[in-house]
Amino acid sequence: MTASALRVLVWNENIHETTGDERAIANYPDGIHTVIADGLRSHLGPDAEVSTATLQQPEHGLTQQVIDHTDVLLWWGHVGHDKVEDEVVERVHQAVLGGMGILVLHSGHYSKIFKRLMGTSCSLKWRSDGERELVWTIAPRHPIAEGVPHPIHIPKQEMYGEYFDIPEPEETVFLSTFEAGEVFRSGVTYTRGFGRVFYFSPGDQDFPVYHHSDVQRVLANGVRWAAPGGARRTLTADYHAPGWYQS
C-alpha cells in the first residue's frame, strides 16, 4: 500500500445475506460488500486501501470520522433504504458536495442519498427473470471505460429498463440491452458540488454479477475517476453548481 493510497469504503445494507435469502447467501456468503471489496483490491492493488461497512453497524458504519477519511464511497442498498438514518444521509451528502466521490450501485438508485443527489424520483422499469444483459460502451474515451470489453456479457441479471427518471447525465458511459429488447442507461456520471457521482446498474443479490471480472474492472475504473482531485471542501446543502439538481 502506498502512502497516497485511495481510501475506498464499500457500503452494503447487508440484509439479504443475513436474513435467510438463500440465493443471496449462495452468491455472496460473506456479503455483497466483501465480493466488491475483494474485486477492488484485485484491480487497484496497492493504489487503494479498501474497507467495508454495513447498515447494522452503529451509525451504519458511516460515522463522521469514517466519512472524513473516505475518498470514494460505494453504495449498495435494496430493501433497507428507509432504515438509513437521515442524519447519516446528510453527512454523506455534505461529503460528496465537498469532494468525496460516490459510486451508487444497482438498486441503490432508490437510496435516500442517490435521490437526494439527483432531485428526482429515480424510478425505472424492472423485471427479475435472470435475463442476459449486454453492457455496451458508448463513451469509449471515458476513463471509466478503459480496458472494458464492448460489450460486457452478463449471462443472468435483473432487467432494468427505461424510462429511468434521472436528470440528464453529464456523460452516459454504458448502455445496456436485454433479451426482450429493453435498453437502459446503465452507467452515468454527474458532478455535485466538488464531488463526482457514478451510477452503475449491473449487480443484483439474486445473481453473481459482482464476481464478474469485467464488472469489477468498471468499479475499479469508477473509483479512480471519482477520486477527489484535492483537499475536501466544506459546502452547505443548498450549494448550486453547474448542472446541479435539487428537489
Side-chain angles (χ1 to χ4, degrees):
M1 187 179 303
T2 64
S4 58
L6 286 173
R7 299 167 299 184
V8 182
L9 179 63
V10 180
W11 188 90
N12 172 26
E13 68 178 26
N14 198 34
I15 294 177
H16 290 282
E17 305 95 310
T18 58
T19 56
D21 185 325
E22 293 182 0
R23 294 183 69 178
I25 293 170
N27 292 323
Y28 307 102
D30 297 316
I32 287 173
H33 53 292
T34 300
V35 174
I36 293 173
D38 286 347
L40 291 176
R41 293 186 187 107
S42 175
H43 284 270
L44 296 174
D47 293 336
E49 175 185 350
V50 183
S51 56
T52 64
T54 64
L55 177 72
Q56 295 79 18
Q57 294 175 261
E59 299 184 59
H60 312 321
L62 299 171
T63 65
Q64 189 65 59
Q65 182 179 15
V66 167
I67 290 297
D68 287 344
H69 291 85
T70 298
D71 295 315
V72 181
L73 173 66
L74 291 87
W75 190 283
W76 197 98
H78 184 209
V79 295
H81 301 315
D82 62 337
K83 299 182 186 301
V84 179
E85 297 292 337
D86 291 340
E87 180 180 353
V88 173
V89 175
E90 176 62 17
R91 186 179 300 156
V92 173
H93 185 213
Q94 289 297 324
V96 174
L97 295 182
M100 182 183 76
I102 186 169
L103 276 62
V104 178
L105 309 178
H106 192 55
S107 46
H109 70 91
Y110 262 149
S111 65
K112 289 182 179 180
I113 183 59
F114 191 62
K115 290 197 287 187
R116 180 79 176 272
L117 290 165
M118 296 296 103
T120 59
S121 74
C122 300
S123 62
L124 48 77
K125 304 294 185 182
W126 64 274
R127 182 178 61 254
S128 189
D129 290 339
E131 299 175 45
R132 182 204 65 206
E133 178 178 5
L134 298 177
V135 185
W136 302 92
T137 300
I138 61 173
R141 290 181 294 276
H142 197 285
I144 296 178
E146 183 178 353
V148 175
H150 176 70
I152 300 172
H153 182 276
I154 301 174
K156 291 183 181 296
Q157 165 66 339
E158 181 178 30
M159 188 284 294
Y160 274 12
E162 299 289 344
Y163 176 63
F164 187 16
D165 184 24
I166 52 175
E168 186 66 27
E170 292 174 16
E171 188 134 31
T172 300
V173 184
F174 302 109
L175 182 75
S176 286
T177 58
F178 293 86
E179 290 182 54
E182 294 92 350
V183 298
F184 187 71
R185 290 169 289 169
S186 53
V188 295
T189 67
Y190 298 90
T191 304
R192 291 294 182 263
F194 291 100
R196 287 178 164 183
V197 181
F198 175 49
Y199 172 76
F200 188 60
S201 64
D204 183 77
Q205 75 281 350
D206 286 343
F207 309 103
V209 179
Y210 290 118
H211 293 275
H212 197 304
S213 61
D214 295 328
V215 171
Q216 293 176 359
R217 180 181 295 276
V218 170
L219 298 184
N221 288 351
V223 165
R224 291 191 185 98
W225 172 82
R232 190 78 60 81
R233 318 287 182 94
T234 300
L235 295 175
T236 60
D238 60 355
Y239 177 81
H240 282 55
W244 172 259
Y245 295 81
Q246 185 175 5
S247 58

